[in-house]
mmCIF file of all heavy atoms in Angstrom:
data_model
loop_
_atom_site.group_PDB
_atom_site.id
_atom_site.type_symbol
_atom_site.label_atom_id
_atom_site.label_comp_id
_atom_site.label_asym_id
_atom_site.label_seq_id
_atom_site.Cartn_x
_atom_site.Cartn_y
_atom_site.Cartn_z
ATOM 1 N N THR A 1 0.829 -1.206 0.000
ATOM 2 C CA THR A 1 0.000 0.000 0.000
ATOM 3 C C THR A 1 0.860 1.252 0.000
ATOM 4 O O THR A 1 0.613 2.202 -0.726
ATOM 5 C CB THR A 1 -0.938 0.011 1.224
ATOM 6 O OG1 THR A 1 -1.790 -1.115 1.146
ATOM 7 C CG2 THR A 1 -1.772 1.282 1.261
ATOM 8 N N ALA A 2 1.914 1.255 0.840
ATOM 9 C CA ALA A 2 2.812 2.417 0.914
ATOM 10 C C ALA A 2 3.523 2.633 -0.411
ATOM 11 O O ALA A 2 3.718 3.758 -0.861
ATOM 12 C CB ALA A 2 3.824 2.214 2.044
ATOM 13 N N ALA A 3 3.921 1.499 -1.050
ATOM 14 C CA ALA A 3 4.640 1.616 -2.311
ATOM 15 C C ALA A 3 3.738 2.157 -3.410
ATOM 16 O O ALA A 3 4.176 2.849 -4.317
ATOM 17 C CB ALA A 3 5.200 0.252 -2.700
ATOM 18 N N MET A 4 2.439 1.826 -3.336
ATOM 19 C CA MET A 4 1.506 2.266 -4.358
ATOM 20 C C MET A 4 1.124 3.729 -4.199
ATOM 21 O O MET A 4 0.704 4.369 -5.143
ATOM 22 C CB MET A 4 0.234 1.409 -4.301
ATOM 23 C CG MET A 4 0.437 -0.027 -4.772
ATOM 24 S SD MET A 4 -1.007 -1.061 -4.435
ATOM 25 C CE MET A 4 -2.275 -0.179 -5.324
ATOM 26 N N ALA A 5 1.228 4.257 -2.979
ATOM 27 C CA ALA A 5 0.818 5.640 -2.727
ATOM 28 C C ALA A 5 1.710 6.606 -3.488
ATOM 29 O O ALA A 5 2.926 6.437 -3.533
ATOM 30 C CB ALA A 5 0.854 5.933 -1.233
ATOM 31 N N GLY A 6 1.083 7.617 -4.086
ATOM 32 C CA GLY A 6 1.838 8.636 -4.791
ATOM 33 C C GLY A 6 2.148 9.805 -3.883
ATOM 34 O O GLY A 6 1.771 9.821 -2.705
ATOM 35 N N THR A 7 2.819 10.807 -4.429
ATOM 36 C CA THR A 7 3.231 11.966 -3.638
ATOM 37 C C THR A 7 2.500 13.211 -4.111
ATOM 38 O O THR A 7 2.609 13.598 -5.281
ATOM 39 C CB THR A 7 4.749 12.194 -3.759
ATOM 40 O OG1 THR A 7 5.431 11.019 -3.308
ATOM 41 C CG2 THR A 7 5.181 13.382 -2.911
ATOM 42 N N LEU A 8 1.760 13.833 -3.202
ATOM 43 C CA LEU A 8 1.173 15.134 -3.495
ATOM 44 C C LEU A 8 2.287 16.166 -3.547
ATOM 45 O O LEU A 8 3.157 16.197 -2.664
ATOM 46 C CB LEU A 8 0.164 15.529 -2.420
ATOM 47 C CG LEU A 8 -1.138 14.725 -2.327
ATOM 48 C CD1 LEU A 8 -1.949 15.190 -1.131
ATOM 49 C CD2 LEU A 8 -1.951 14.845 -3.600
ATOM 50 N N THR A 9 2.273 17.018 -4.551
ATOM 51 C CA THR A 9 3.299 18.056 -4.676
ATOM 52 C C THR A 9 2.649 19.439 -4.660
ATOM 53 O O THR A 9 1.429 19.567 -4.755
ATOM 54 C CB THR A 9 4.102 17.874 -5.971
ATOM 55 O OG1 THR A 9 3.195 17.842 -7.085
ATOM 56 C CG2 THR A 9 4.891 16.568 -5.944
ATOM 57 N N ASN A 10 3.493 20.469 -4.556
ATOM 58 C CA ASN A 10 3.027 21.866 -4.529
ATOM 59 C C ASN A 10 1.963 22.074 -3.447
ATOM 60 O O ASN A 10 0.976 22.789 -3.662
ATOM 61 C CB ASN A 10 2.460 22.278 -5.891
ATOM 62 C CG ASN A 10 3.434 22.028 -7.022
ATOM 63 O OD1 ASN A 10 4.605 22.363 -6.919
ATOM 64 N ND2 ASN A 10 2.970 21.426 -8.104
ATOM 65 N N VAL A 11 2.173 21.443 -2.304
ATOM 66 C CA VAL A 11 1.171 21.466 -1.242
ATOM 67 C C VAL A 11 1.346 22.719 -0.383
ATOM 68 O O VAL A 11 2.458 23.049 0.043
ATOM 69 C CB VAL A 11 1.281 20.219 -0.351
ATOM 70 C CG1 VAL A 11 0.157 20.190 0.681
ATOM 71 C CG2 VAL A 11 1.228 18.956 -1.211
ATOM 72 N N SER A 12 0.234 23.418 -0.139
ATOM 73 C CA SER A 12 0.300 24.611 0.720
ATOM 74 C C SER A 12 -1.041 24.832 1.392
ATOM 75 O O SER A 12 -2.082 24.411 0.897
ATOM 76 C CB SER A 12 0.685 25.854 -0.092
ATOM 77 O OG SER A 12 -0.349 26.178 -1.018
ATOM 78 N N VAL A 13 -0.983 25.495 2.548
ATOM 79 C CA VAL A 13 -2.179 25.934 3.265
ATOM 80 C C VAL A 13 -2.000 27.416 3.539
ATOM 81 O O VAL A 13 -1.008 27.823 4.153
ATOM 82 C CB VAL A 13 -2.373 25.166 4.584
ATOM 83 C CG1 VAL A 13 -3.536 25.748 5.390
ATOM 84 C CG2 VAL A 13 -2.627 23.687 4.306
ATOM 85 N N THR A 14 -2.948 28.239 3.073
ATOM 86 C CA THR A 14 -2.854 29.690 3.215
ATOM 87 C C THR A 14 -4.053 30.212 3.993
ATOM 88 O O THR A 14 -5.194 29.842 3.698
ATOM 89 C CB THR A 14 -2.804 30.373 1.833
ATOM 90 O OG1 THR A 14 -1.742 29.809 1.068
ATOM 91 C CG2 THR A 14 -2.578 31.873 1.978
ATOM 92 N N LEU A 15 -3.793 31.077 4.970
ATOM 93 C CA LEU A 15 -4.854 31.697 5.760
ATOM 94 C C LEU A 15 -5.024 33.147 5.320
ATOM 95 O O LEU A 15 -4.033 33.865 5.150
ATOM 96 C CB LEU A 15 -4.512 31.656 7.245
ATOM 97 C CG LEU A 15 -4.081 30.298 7.834
ATOM 98 C CD1 LEU A 15 -3.800 30.441 9.330
ATOM 99 C CD2 LEU A 15 -5.125 29.238 7.571
ATOM 100 N N SER A 16 -6.274 33.588 5.156
ATOM 101 C CA SER A 16 -6.496 34.989 4.771
ATOM 102 C C SER A 16 -6.250 35.923 5.953
ATOM 103 O O SER A 16 -5.948 37.098 5.766
ATOM 104 C CB SER A 16 -7.916 35.179 4.243
ATOM 105 O OG SER A 16 -8.875 34.921 5.264
ATOM 106 N N ASP A 17 -6.388 35.416 7.180
ATOM 107 C CA ASP A 17 -6.112 36.199 8.387
ATOM 108 C C ASP A 17 -5.411 35.284 9.378
ATOM 109 O O ASP A 17 -6.019 34.380 9.945
ATOM 110 C CB ASP A 17 -7.416 36.734 8.993
ATOM 111 C CG ASP A 17 -7.160 37.784 10.079
ATOM 112 O OD1 ASP A 17 -6.041 37.813 10.644
ATOM 113 O OD2 ASP A 17 -8.076 38.576 10.377
ATOM 114 N N SER A 18 -4.117 35.503 9.563
ATOM 115 C CA SER A 18 -3.330 34.615 10.419
ATOM 116 C C SER A 18 -3.214 35.117 11.858
ATOM 117 O O SER A 18 -2.453 34.568 12.645
ATOM 118 C CB SER A 18 -1.926 34.428 9.826
ATOM 119 O OG SER A 18 -1.269 35.681 9.715
ATOM 120 N N ARG A 19 -3.965 36.163 12.215
ATOM 121 C CA ARG A 19 -3.956 36.627 13.596
ATOM 122 C C ARG A 19 -4.685 35.628 14.486
ATOM 123 O O ARG A 19 -5.495 34.836 14.022
ATOM 124 C CB ARG A 19 -4.619 38.000 13.699
ATOM 125 C CG ARG A 19 -3.885 39.115 12.951
ATOM 126 C CD ARG A 19 -4.694 40.400 12.993
ATOM 127 N NE ARG A 19 -5.980 40.238 12.305
ATOM 128 C CZ ARG A 19 -6.966 41.128 12.363
ATOM 129 N NH1 ARG A 19 -6.827 42.227 13.080
ATOM 130 N NH2 ARG A 19 -8.087 40.911 11.703
ATOM 131 N N VAL A 20 -4.393 35.672 15.783
ATOM 132 C CA VAL A 20 -5.032 34.743 16.708
ATOM 133 C C VAL A 20 -6.512 35.087 16.887
ATOM 134 O O VAL A 20 -6.914 36.250 16.786
ATOM 135 C CB VAL A 20 -4.327 34.746 18.086
ATOM 136 C CG1 VAL A 20 -2.892 34.260 17.954
ATOM 137 C CG2 VAL A 20 -4.361 36.130 18.715
ATOM 138 N N SER A 21 -7.307 34.046 17.112
ATOM 139 C CA SER A 21 -8.740 34.174 17.422
ATOM 140 C C SER A 21 -9.515 34.977 16.377
ATOM 141 O O SER A 21 -10.366 35.792 16.716
ATOM 142 C CB SER A 21 -8.912 34.817 18.814
ATOM 143 O OG SER A 21 -8.242 34.084 19.800
ATOM 144 N N GLN A 22 -9.232 34.731 15.110
ATOM 145 C CA GLN A 22 -9.895 35.462 14.030
ATOM 146 C C GLN A 22 -10.542 34.498 13.032
ATOM 147 O O GLN A 22 -10.002 33.433 12.739
ATOM 148 C CB GLN A 22 -8.892 36.336 13.273
ATOM 149 C CG GLN A 22 -8.245 37.423 14.099
ATOM 150 C CD GLN A 22 -9.253 38.448 14.593
ATOM 151 O OE1 GLN A 22 -10.118 38.888 13.849
ATOM 152 N NE2 GLN A 22 -9.150 38.815 15.856
ATOM 153 N N PRO A 23 -11.708 34.880 12.481
ATOM 154 C CA PRO A 23 -12.248 34.107 11.357
ATOM 155 C C PRO A 23 -11.281 34.201 10.185
ATOM 156 O O PRO A 23 -10.685 35.256 9.942
ATOM 157 C CB PRO A 23 -13.572 34.811 11.041
ATOM 158 C CG PRO A 23 -13.885 35.636 12.247
ATOM 159 C CD PRO A 23 -12.571 36.010 12.850
ATOM 160 N N THR A 24 -11.114 33.122 9.445
ATOM 161 C CA THR A 24 -10.157 33.148 8.340
ATOM 162 C C THR A 24 -10.585 32.205 7.225
ATOM 163 O O THR A 24 -11.110 31.117 7.483
ATOM 164 C CB THR A 24 -8.744 32.757 8.811
ATOM 165 O OG1 THR A 24 -7.834 32.816 7.705
ATOM 166 C CG2 THR A 24 -8.716 31.352 9.390
#
């Protein structure tokens, strides 16, 4: 199973507001 798994590339997570306790 591990050998068959491919690799996700160009992976990113972006927040529109990275301040604490904020909707984003």
Side-chain angles (χ1 to χ4, degrees):
T1 299
M4 290 171 58
T7 301
L8 292 175
T9 55
N10 306 314
V11 185
S12 66
V13 174
T14 306
L15 310 181
S16 64
D17 192 339
S18 59
R19 296 174 297 169
V20 297
S21 304
Q22 297 296 316
T24 181

